[in-house]
Amino acid sequence: MGTATFLPAHSRRSSDLSKHSAEVFAEAEDHPITVTRRDGQTLVLMSEREANARAQLLNFAAQLITVTLDDDGPLDERMARTFPWMLALSSADRTQCAQDLVDAARASFATDQPHLALAELTSWKETAVAVAAGLATTTVDWLGDDGETVERP
């Protein structure tokens, strides 16, 4: 049994970068790779997309921390001061949005999956943009495969 058997699944030795660079880079496209070195600190190799997602999540977390430390008003009002686009939402939607964003942020940090919070943030922001553009007053007819009106999915 070789020493590579004891390394985590997403870990590579620095020698793999020179011997199997294409393979290591392809793997780093999918998830961060820990690169262990004998003569220095361990490094992490990841895609720019992954690094940007983590930076966006940290920025979002900083904004949420600022909101939660402010005790002037309910959560949805405090969040609307930080995220002004929330003002386009109804009061009930602002409350739901605030809770959904906090829950998604907690899930992102608990699972190390930045996309959970970022997708929720983007979804609510796009909803607010649509409401502000007057698209929320449009009646939507859900059509089945045969063109018949069906209940909302």
Side-chain angles (χ1 to χ4, degrees):
M1 192 182 310
T3 56
T5 313
F6 298 104
L7 295 175
H10 303 301
S11 181
R12 297 298 206 117
R13 286 179 250 141
S14 61
S15 60
D16 289 340
L17 283 175
S18 59
K19 295 177 183 173
H20 311 286
S21 60
E23 181 183 316
V24 174
F25 290 142
E27 192 175 344
E29 291 274 331
D30 295 331
H31 50 77
I33 304 294
T34 301
V35 179
T36 58
R37 301 165 50 203
R38 281 185 278 168
D39 61 346
Q41 291 188 10
T42 299
L43 303 174
V44 177
L45 179 65
M46 67 178 72
S47 68
E48 183 177 20
R49 180 191 79 246
E50 179 76 23
N52 288 340
R54 288 171 184 255
Q56 287 177 317
L57 181 61
L58 285 175
N59 183 45
F60 179 53
Q63 291 171 313
L64 282 181
I65 290 169
T66 301
V67 166
T68 59
L69 292 176
D70 180 6
D71 60 356
D72 185 23
L75 178 62
D76 60 326
E77 288 178 14
R78 291 179 282 154
M79 286 188 73
R81 286 193 294 268
T82 300
F83 304 107
W85 51 263
M86 286 179 66
L87 295 171
L89 300 170
S90 69
S91 179
D93 283 347
R94 275 196 303 274
T95 301
Q96 186 64 52
C97 174
Q99 190 59 57
D100 288 353
L101 292 178
V102 169
D103 291 347
R106 291 177 69 198
S108 281
F109 280 107
T111 61
D112 194 30
Q113 299 294 316
H115 70 275
L116 298 175
L118 299 177
E120 193 69 32
L121 179 65
T122 301
S123 177
W124 273 109
K125 186 174 182 179
E126 292 300 321
T127 299
V129 169
V131 168
L135 298 176
T137 58
T138 304
T139 303
V140 176
D141 290 328
W142 296 94
L143 300 177
D145 292 337
D146 57 2
E148 293 288 320
T149 302
V150 296
E151 293 293 317
R152 179 180 176 166

